[in-house]
Amino acid sequence: MYCVRIMLAALMPGLLHSAAAPGPVPDRGALAADAVAGARFRFGGALGERIDANVRNWLLTAPEANPGMLAMFRMRDRTPVPDLVPWAGEFVGKYLISAVQALAMTGDPALRECVEGVVRAFIATQAEDGYLGPFRKEERLLGRWDLWGHYHAILALLMWHEESGDAEALGAACRAADLACATFLDGERRVIDAGSPEMNMAIVHGLGRLYRATGNERYLRLMWEIERDWEKSGDYFRTGLAGTPFHRTPRPRWESLHDVQGLVELYRITGDARYKTAFLNLWESIRRCDRHPSGAFSTGEQAVGNPYGEGAIETCCTTAWMELTLDALRLTNDPRAADELELSTWNAVLGSQHPSGRWWTYHTPMEGVREASAHSIVFQARHGTPELNCCSVNGPRGLGILREWAVMRLPGEVGFSINFYGPCVITVPFGAGETLTLTQETRYPLVGEIAVRIGLARERSFGLDLRIPAWSQRTTVRVLDAAGAVVAPAREAFAGTHFALSRPWRDGDTVELSLDMSVRSWAGALGRAGRAAIHRGPLLLGFDQHRNAIDVKDVPALDLLAARLAPAPSESGKAPGAFAPIAAFTVRAGDGAELVLCDFASCGAHGTPYTAWLPAVNATPAMFWLVRPASGAAVAAGPIVFEWTGFRTEGTTYTLAIAKDPELVHTAHAIDVGASTRHVLAAGLGPAAGTWWWKVTAACGKAPAANSGGPGRFFIDPALENTAAEEIERAKTGPRGLLAASPLDGNGMPSFGVLVSETGTAPAEDRFGREGGAVAFPGSGCGITYGLALFPERDFTFLAWVCPAGLPADRLQQVFSAWCAGMDDPLRVAVQGDKLFARIEAHHAYGTAGVPIENGKWIHVAAVKRGPRLELYVGGELRAHVEVPEYVFSQARDFAIGANPHYSGNECFAGAIDAFAFHGEALAPAEIAAAREEGK
């Protein structure tokens, strides 16, 4: 890819600006919409109260209450050596980004004075060489998360320059970037050498912003060097182009989202559409696989491909997701991206901010309690920074980003896109010193009626695109003049689109929208089976113990086909410290009990437990999408593999329909697939070329739902070679979910399953002394690999007879391994020292205690994953176990006996193995004991 970048520069004169001709660089990659420079916003209602509380009780107080935020930079070369977390340098940058966003939105004079003071003091700490970090001179940029801290500093100073025109701030940002270039362009060091690559290489995004502002070609050169190093780390460009889901990339932590933003900068700078494609593919995969019903992103601080897990849903992760989604909106003007920002704002962001505005959470669970980040991650605090941590300074960005997406300017002719709904007054510059004022009069999100009043000094013609949320199935729009007369009668607007109005507008004209506020549900899966998330409009609803007479554990099930919401009585005369909800409703459960549900953002505000995963029946299945065949793809005649997102979960079943017409009226196949999210049409669709359409319908109880995005389309091309045969073989299962087995009578030939390769093995005596009854593994250059369609997600069993012949003193020896990438090893049975272990690596490492074994002695081994427990049996008896995630989602599509199938180092087994089997089910202890007795 690096060579491609060099050729691109040669083919595009002016892409690299010389030092003699610096200046802003125009975009080569076009945006579909962008923020309105100079716009001012005044939000009312609950959101306006939260924004004001953030400014008053956090942004204006944080610098004074946490003087170490700046003092750590002044003390970096003093003694004693400051004891800082590796990312401490980010705190002031993140704080300033939040504060500048809020200032650009509100124009608050007190906040302007505060921000200007922090910027001045921050710039004063900059070293002569441009260094803007808190670490000692000999460490500068060479380790920790120092480049990550500089990324946030550069972004903050550039944003302040754009808001205020402060040339000194731009100069400081450039000096910091110049130091990065001098360090990693002018010598042998590379950015990847600084370690923590997904963090430190995120500076690529800041360098892109700075290059477009200044035209300094060194910033672009360093971006290309970082892109080159991506191939050894997150590999964002190549995996994005290939359509690899983000959770299956090498670096799926949340910090990588800022690296992914670098793809947008590279697209804007070069115009190379591949960067845009890679970015949007990664964004879409996160939306589909890792965005929670609250609009939050992350489980355990990263993507895992499962929105139902119980790991921490970190505030920083959601903030990064919103920044990524804003970029997707800029690139596409797709109302779905604005829907995502709305969902995140009303739920995840407001849920992570306490209504008082005094603190932000680290973890904002769908079920649990609200806990201040100053408690959850207090280990980040130091003397002088008692309230500082990554989330307390980053959370406010979720509010500040509103100014960039609430109303956006469209390219070409004068036009604006209205994405945000709620009581507000938005004033945008309109050329020649004039302004356009958009005043929304509404009680949204409590109700769906919205009136947008136009304020103009004189009649002007322009376009207004109104976002019609995808959740509003019945929407109407009409236009009235200042006197209330109908100018444009009510028309239907289609869900998930923009409703375009282009006409001469006069002062006082009003656009009226009526949105459908019907209740929607999202059925839980995996560990959330039997529960549902409930939405009304953009709000997620939850049960808060504070507003109910029963406890969370006693919440009865709701029948979502019969349940009806009614407004709850308003709260009046509240005591100090009591926070009224944004919305509250009563609903009758299946047992007749009346519950109060309130908006997710208000749940837990009083310190009480809550849940937004409610016990429910007849919920609508969660959104899911078609995957294969890809839209518009050509496929070979013969067997065809159909695949869609979702989870193989009890209670949810799928039906696959295939037809020649896009409406799927005349279906050629209607197939009940059961709980699987994959089906192989072994007979194919005939040899003739032609276009076919397909869709999948999910049902959970009595509530069906079709896949999102509409029917898929593909072509039969008889000239293509069909490669589905091996995949069909890999997908076959035998008794008790058998996936692969072999007697290992001298070689790895399977009695069931698909043999992929066999290397370096030889016949050996088996446990009965029969020559050639087992397979010998010499301890290096050996292994037998078998193929799988998918690795089992919840339950499985591996069984074999094992005889070690050289217990390792200093390395692992793999009896069974499905390792395919770092922290993606759904099972390994390994020998280490003189002990046998069963282990899983799934974003964290889990392992049983070791069981002693001896050289030259045959033992029967079984490793069983039984839901949330991994068990190790030796000699037919349970010897060790460990708690593990109930569901593990792995990229593994094969496994090896006697080796690690994909690791280049030597983890080969020394000894003999006999009679193995691998099942996609958890065998009972009696079955394992019986397997030990077989063959006697």
Side-chain angles (χ1 to χ4, degrees):
M1 292 297 177
Y2 178 67
C3 294
V4 172
R5 301 286 79 74
I6 296 299
M7 289 188 291
L8 186 62
L11 293 171
M12 300 174 68
L15 184 59
L16 291 179
H17 286 245
S18 70
V25 178
D27 282 2
R28 294 178 182 271
L31 299 181
D34 205 358
V36 184
R40 285 291 182 260
F41 302 78
R42 189 169 72 251
F43 294 95
L47 184 60
E49 292 176 1
R50 293 294 197 95
I51 291 171
D52 291 344
N54 176 54
V55 172
R56 183 176 62 254
N57 294 331
W58 174 247
L59 293 177
L60 289 174
T61 63
E64 186 171 322
N66 299 274
M69 180 165 63
L70 289 166
M72 68 174 74
F73 294 84
R74 294 190 288 266
M75 298 293 112
R76 59 189 168 227
D77 290 310
R78 303 283 292 276
T79 55
V81 177
D83 175 26
L84 302 174
V85 293
W87 52 90
E90 73 172 28
F91 294 155
V92 67
K94 284 184 173 180
Y95 165 81
L96 281 172
I97 291 169
S98 301
V100 172
Q101 285 179 323
L103 176 61
M105 185 162 58
T106 65
D108 185 293
L111 184 58
R112 180 174 295 277
E113 181 180 356
C114 176
V115 172
E116 188 166 12
V118 173
V119 169
R120 296 272 75 78
F122 185 37
I123 293 175
T125 72
Q126 189 167 34
E128 290 184 2
D129 63 359
Y131 183 67
L132 261 178
F135 302 114
R136 299 177 70 80
K137 189 170 185 178
E138 60 269 20
E139 300 178 275
R140 292 178 183 177
L141 303 187
L142 302 180
R144 311 207 194 187
W145 296 22
D146 210 3
L147 280 167
W148 169 261
H150 278 70
Y151 160 54
H152 287 90
I154 288 169
L155 204 57
L157 293 170
L158 180 58
M159 290 172 65
W160 170 246
H161 164 72
E162 292 169 345
E163 170 62 22
S164 67
D166 185 344
E168 188 176 350
L170 178 60
C174 289
R175 288 193 295 276
D178 291 342
L179 175 62
C181 291
T183 305
F184 299 106
L185 282 181
D186 298 342
E188 297 299 319
R189 293 191 180 98
R190 304 189 62 80
V191 170
I192 199 169
D193 298 331
S196 304
E198 61 264 60
M199 299 83 177
N200 284 328
M201 290 199 290
I203 198 173
V204 68
H205 177 229
L207 290 168
R209 290 279 300 267
L210 204 55
Y211 172 74
R212 289 192 294 106
T214 66
N216 187 325
E217 58 89 11
R218 283 170 63 79
Y219 305 156
L220 180 56
R221 282 181 53 203
L222 187 52
M223 290 178 73
W224 283 347
E225 293 299 328
I226 293 172
E227 181 195 346
R228 184 181 176 187
D229 281 346
W230 275 347
E231 297 183 8
K232 302 175 184 176
S233 179
D235 212 7
Y236 313 105
F237 184 31
R238 296 192 303 182
T239 57
L241 273 180
T244 303
F246 180 70
H247 66 272
R248 292 182 175 175
T249 62
R251 300 279 179 172
R253 276 189 58 86
W254 74 268
E255 294 91 350
S256 288
L257 270 60
H258 294 297
D259 293 78
V260 173
Q261 286 188 277
L263 292 169
V264 178
E265 291 302 314
L266 288 164
Y267 165 67
R268 295 182 68 173
I269 291 167
T270 67
D272 186 343
R274 294 177 303 161
Y275 290 122
K276 177 180 177 180
T277 298
F279 171 86
L280 292 174
N281 284 345
L282 292 171
W283 174 79
E284 185 70 42
S285 76
I286 295 173
R287 188 172 79 93
R288 294 180 176 188
C289 303
D290 278 283
R291 193 264 289 149
H292 297 271
S294 62
F297 159 68
S298 84
T299 302
E301 302 188 7
Q302 64 182 28
V304 298
N306 170 18
Y308 306 102
E310 297 185 358
I313 304 174
E314 186 185 359
T315 296
C316 280
C317 309
T318 298
T319 299
W321 164 240
M322 293 180 72
E323 292 288 342
L324 204 73
T325 301
L326 175 61
D327 279 341
L329 182 59
R330 286 186 176 118
L331 289 175
T332 64
N333 197 31
D334 186 339
R336 298 177 308 155
D339 285 353
E340 291 292 329
L341 288 165
E342 177 183 61
L343 180 70
S344 298
T345 299
W346 284 107
N347 301 289
V349 173
L350 296 189
S352 62
Q353 180 204 32
H354 191 259
S356 67
R358 277 294 297 129
W359 52 266
W360 294 77
T361 66
Y362 157 72
H363 172 35
T364 312
M366 289 279 293
E367 183 174 43
V369 294
R370 294 280 196 270
E371 185 175 72
S373 59
H375 294 159
S376 302
I377 48 177
V378 68
F379 74 92
Q380 298 186 35
R382 294 293 186 272
H383 303 300
T385 58
E387 301 171 314
L388 289 198
N389 52 69
C390 55
C391 293
S392 66
V393 289
N394 211 21
R397 292 176 70 177
L399 294 174
I401 198 177
L402 260 169
R403 73 160 303 277
E404 301 189 67
W405 68 270
V407 172
M408 303 182 79
R409 190 181 296 277
L410 302 175
E413 297 181 4
V414 176
F416 301 93
S417 179
I418 298 179
N419 293 311
F420 171 84
Y421 296 123
C424 63
V425 179
I426 302 174
T427 304
V428 300
F430 206 30
E434 298 183 29
T435 60
L436 164 66
T437 302
L438 301 168
T439 302
Q440 293 191 30
E441 297 170 350
T442 179
R443 293 174 57 231
Y444 184 90
L446 291 178
V447 300
E449 283 66 48
I450 304 161
V452 183
R453 191 174 70 249
I454 308 298
L456 289 167
R458 61 186 176 90
E459 180 179 307
R460 296 288 298 270
S461 292
F462 57 91
L464 277 183
D465 282 4
L466 307 174
R467 176 180 64 91
I468 309 301
W471 48 258
S472 181
Q473 294 303 305
R474 295 180 299 277
T475 304
T476 58
V477 179
R478 69 172 184 167
V479 180
L480 309 177
D481 65 16
V486 176
V487 175
R491 292 165 50 197
E492 181 181 1
F494 297 102
T497 66
H498 279 115
F499 187 89
L501 290 167
S502 185
R503 61 187 303 276
W505 298 92
R506 296 180 178 180
D507 187 56
D509 284 352
T510 300
V511 180
E512 292 186 343
L513 292 87
S514 179
L515 301 177
D516 181 1
M517 304 296 280
S518 298
V519 174
R520 312 179 311 284
S521 61
W522 171 340
L526 306 178
R528 306 296 187 181
R531 295 174 174 264
I534 299 174
H535 293 87
R536 183 181 181 275
L539 298 180
L540 172 66
L541 303 181
F543 174 95
D544 186 350
Q545 193 169 295
H546 174 75
R547 294 186 165 84
N548 290 274
I550 61 174
D551 298 333
V552 169
K553 65 181 178 60
D554 299 321
V555 177
L558 298 173
D559 184 341
L560 296 180
L561 285 180
R564 298 291 180 269
L565 298 183
S570 61
E571 301 180 8
S572 58
K574 64 180 182 178
F579 303 99
I582 296 171
F585 303 92
T586 59
V587 62
R588 200 162 295 281
D591 66 353
E594 187 174 85
L595 307 178
V596 175
L597 304 181
C598 71
D599 62 283
F600 177 78
S602 300
C603 286
H606 298 84
T608 46
Y610 66 89
T611 181
W613 281 118
L614 298 164
V617 296
N618 294 323
T620 304
M623 290 189 297
F624 65 102
W625 291 265
L626 305 180
V627 174
R628 188 166 53 148
S631 180
V635 301
I640 301 175
V641 179
F642 294 89
E643 193 171 358
W644 51 96
T645 63
F647 296 91
R648 288 159 286 285
T649 304
E650 184 178 354
T652 299
T653 59
Y654 298 94
T655 302
L656 168 65
I658 308 169
K660 289 292 290 182
D661 60 295
E663 293 77 22
L664 281 89
V665 174
H666 307 291
T667 56
H669 296 272
I671 305 164
D672 183 358
V673 181
S676 178
T677 57
R678 186 174 177 276
H679 179 73
V680 179
L681 190 67
L685 293 167
T691 301
W692 290 84
W693 301 80
W694 68 296
K695 73 173 182 179
V696 176
T697 302
C700 183
K702 299 176 183 177
N707 60 269
S708 297
R713 177 174 60 98
F714 63 92
F715 307 89
I716 300 292
D717 184 350
L720 295 177
E721 179 184 359
N722 194 295
T723 59
E726 181 176 331
E727 191 164 359
I728 292 170
E729 287 299 312
R730 288 184 178 217
K732 289 181 178 179
T733 58
R736 296 293 274 132
L738 183 65
L739 299 172
S742 173
L744 297 179
D745 288 342
N747 58 53
M749 186 60 62
S751 56
F752 191 92
V754 175
L755 175 66
V756 175
S757 64
E758 182 170 6
T759 304
T761 62
E765 285 188 359
D766 65 12
R767 61 193 186 278
F768 303 112
R770 294 179 300 208
E771 187 62 40
V775 171
F777 296 82
S780 64
C782 58
I784 310 173
T785 301
Y786 299 88
L788 295 171
L790 294 167
F791 201 93
E793 295 168 352
R794 186 180 189 275
D795 300 325
F796 51 73
T797 303
F798 164 71
L799 310 100
W801 284 91
V802 178
C803 181
L807 294 174
D810 57 354
R811 67 179 180 90
L812 285 176
Q813 290 186 5
Q814 305 285 5
V815 175
F816 175 106
S817 173
W819 187 91
C820 64
M823 298 311 295
D824 186 354
D825 189 350
L827 177 65
R828 67 170 54 174
V829 178
V831 177
Q832 189 170 13
D834 62 351
K835 292 183 175 64
L836 184 76
F837 300 82
R839 294 170 176 168
I840 289 174
E841 290 182 358
H843 308 299
H844 297 282
Y846 309 88
T848 67
V851 177
I853 57 176
E854 299 177 25
N855 275 325
K857 183 176 180 180
W858 282 99
I859 55 172
H860 186 262
V861 174
V864 183
K865 185 176 183 299
R866 204 180 304 279
R869 191 162 114 147
L870 178 63
E871 302 170 343
L872 178 60
Y873 294 76
V874 176
E877 297 180 358
L878 178 63
R879 301 292 302 277
H881 65 85
V882 65
E883 298 303 306
V884 296
E886 183 171 6
Y887 293 88
V888 172
F889 301 98
S890 173
Q891 297 180 61
R893 297 298 180 264
D894 55 27
F895 66 86
I897 301 295
N900 184 321
H902 300 289
Y903 179 58
S904 59
N906 183 16
E907 293 184 352
C908 295
F909 179 68
I913 302 177
D914 190 14
F916 96 88
F918 182 54
H919 297 258
E921 297 180 12
L923 299 189
E927 293 176 289
I928 295 168
R932 179 179 178 273
E933 300 302 315
E934 287 181 7
K936 287 190 174 180

